Amino acid sequence: MSVALGRRALLATSVVAPIAGRRAFAQAWPSQSIRLVVPFAPGGTTDLVARLVAAGLQERLGATVIVDNRPGAGATLGSEFVARSAPDGYTMVMSNIASHAISPAVYGRRVRYNPVTDFTHVALVVSNPTVWVANPNSGIRTLADAVAKARSPSGLDVATSGAGSSNHMMVVRMSQLIGKELNHIPFRGAGPAMQAVVAGQVAMMSDSLPSAAAHINQGSVVAVGMASAERHPSFPNVPTFREQGFDIASDSWFGLSFPAGVPAEIVDRLSRETRAYLADPAVRARFAELGGTPGDLTPEGYTEFVSREVAVWAPLVQASGASAD
């Protein structure tokens, strides 16, 4: 063999070997437990959805899926942790409207990740409307009651899962419509916020429907208004914001995202398994009970979806003047 031919053969081997190694690694996935980071405290919609999905994927993938709650800074702390993790397919985040569309605009330069390019977006899991609920002893039964309370000398406190959440933006939007600022009370997740409302420490809450559904059904809170285009089939007695004279509609969404650079074979596998799980009639029925609509997007489709949400929310947040300061 000539020297030149030998060099070409060596070069070909040096290129093919890493590619073959990556393929073998991806084909063996998952060979260890997978961490699913929830960037909110336990008890909220993000946490609830994550635990349902983790249980389903654990069965389908044959590997343990560990839910890891890392709340803080409008869901950006946990998301940044994932963005900076190794792209090996063993760390992912429950990406959502707060962490990937709203909070980057609310927190500005303090957010050290790009919500589109620093992640490999895999699947849209579920979307659902926002619902406003009140403590039964607050005297608030309608949005008109809430507005009257807001205009009283004491004002109206409204809890949310945190600054930068879609529920925070609902509070901002409602304040704009009534010409009176509501007292936004941010918590480190929907779970702690709901506990405060149930205990009567805060009169009202703007929440995602899945985390509020059980409390509404139990009567521990009163559903005051649904921010959906029309009444929700699972809660037909709850009037929409528009029915009550307030032109607001807002959906939250939740999905699965890896750090950027995860091998395509792993991304495709997780996408297939997630979409198959969400297509199961029993799973769809469970999400329907919670007020959620399962997604069905490819990785390319979910990436485009996140990009559109960023483009929609960034200017709205800037126009509202909302910030984490």
Side-chain angles (χ1 to χ4, degrees):
M1 179 184 295
S2 69
V3 173
L5 184 58
R7 287 176 177 171
R8 286 197 294 271
L10 180 60
L11 178 61
T13 301
S14 66
V15 172
V16 171
I19 294 175
R22 286 196 297 270
R23 286 176 177 168
F25 171 79
Q27 289 171 355
W29 182 88
S31 59
Q32 64 187 60
S33 61
I34 301 169
R35 183 202 306 258
L36 173 54
V37 172
V38 174
F40 286 107
T45 296
T46 316
D47 182 68
L48 175 60
V49 170
R51 292 181 187 279
L52 288 173
V53 172
L57 290 180
Q58 184 165 287
E59 183 176 344
R60 298 190 67 87
L61 294 172
T64 302
V65 180
I66 302 170
V67 174
D68 180 6
N69 294 87
R70 291 176 176 260
T76 63
L77 293 185
S79 300
E80 181 182 339
F81 171 81
V82 173
R84 296 177 180 275
S85 296
D88 55 11
Y90 291 101
T91 304
M92 57 185 175
V93 64
M94 182 57 65
S95 47
N96 58 83
I97 189 173
S99 62
H100 282 70
I102 299 176
S103 286
V106 172
Y107 284 82
R109 294 180 180 178
R110 281 178 283 177
V111 177
R112 292 177 293 181
Y113 61 81
N114 183 295
V116 178
T117 60
D118 286 339
F119 296 86
T120 301
H121 296 296
V122 181
L124 175 65
V125 173
V126 68
S127 59
N128 55 260
T130 296
V131 62
W132 279 29
V133 299
N135 179 280
N137 298 320
S138 67
I140 299 173
R141 295 293 182 273
T142 67
L143 290 177
D145 294 337
V147 172
K149 176 68 174 174
R151 289 175 174 158
S152 71
S154 60
L156 175 63
D157 294 341
V158 183
T160 73
S161 57
S165 65
S166 60
N167 297 307
H168 174 199
M169 291 300 101
M170 280 287 294
V171 175
V172 171
R173 180 60 180 145
M174 192 64 173
S175 297
Q176 293 171 334
L177 285 181
I178 69 174
K180 174 67 175 179
E181 185 172 355
L182 302 174
N183 303 324
H184 176 224
I185 312 297
F187 285 78
R188 289 173 64 84
M194 181 61 76
Q195 290 173 8
V197 175
V198 171
Q201 298 167 350
V202 182
M204 200 166 193
M205 180 179 178
S206 174
D207 195 13
S208 294
L209 182 54
S211 61
H215 296 279
I216 296 171
N217 290 329
Q218 293 166 3
S220 55
V221 295
V222 177
V224 175
M226 195 84 69
S228 50
E230 51 191 42
R231 294 199 182 198
H232 198 281
S234 297
F235 296 90
N237 295 325
V238 180
T240 67
F241 272 64
R242 286 174 175 167
E243 284 181 82
Q244 300 181 70
F246 301 94
D247 189 15
I248 304 178
S250 176
D251 281 346
S252 298
W253 49 265
F254 310 87
L256 296 175
S257 301
F258 282 130
V262 171
E265 293 88 347
I266 294 177
V267 175
D268 291 342
R269 171 83 189 281
L270 181 61
S271 172
R272 290 195 307 273
E273 299 294 356
T274 302
R275 293 167 68 194
Y277 165 74
L278 295 173
D280 185 304
V283 173
R284 299 187 72 83
R286 175 58 179 148
F287 276 118
E289 291 175 1
L290 297 171
T293 302
D296 184 22
L297 294 178
T298 63
E300 295 77 14
Y302 187 39
T303 301
E304 292 173 1
F305 175 87
V306 173
S307 298
R308 288 196 302 271
E309 287 288 285
V310 171
V312 166
W313 281 101
L316 290 178
V317 171
Q318 294 170 0
S320 74
S323 72
D325 296 328

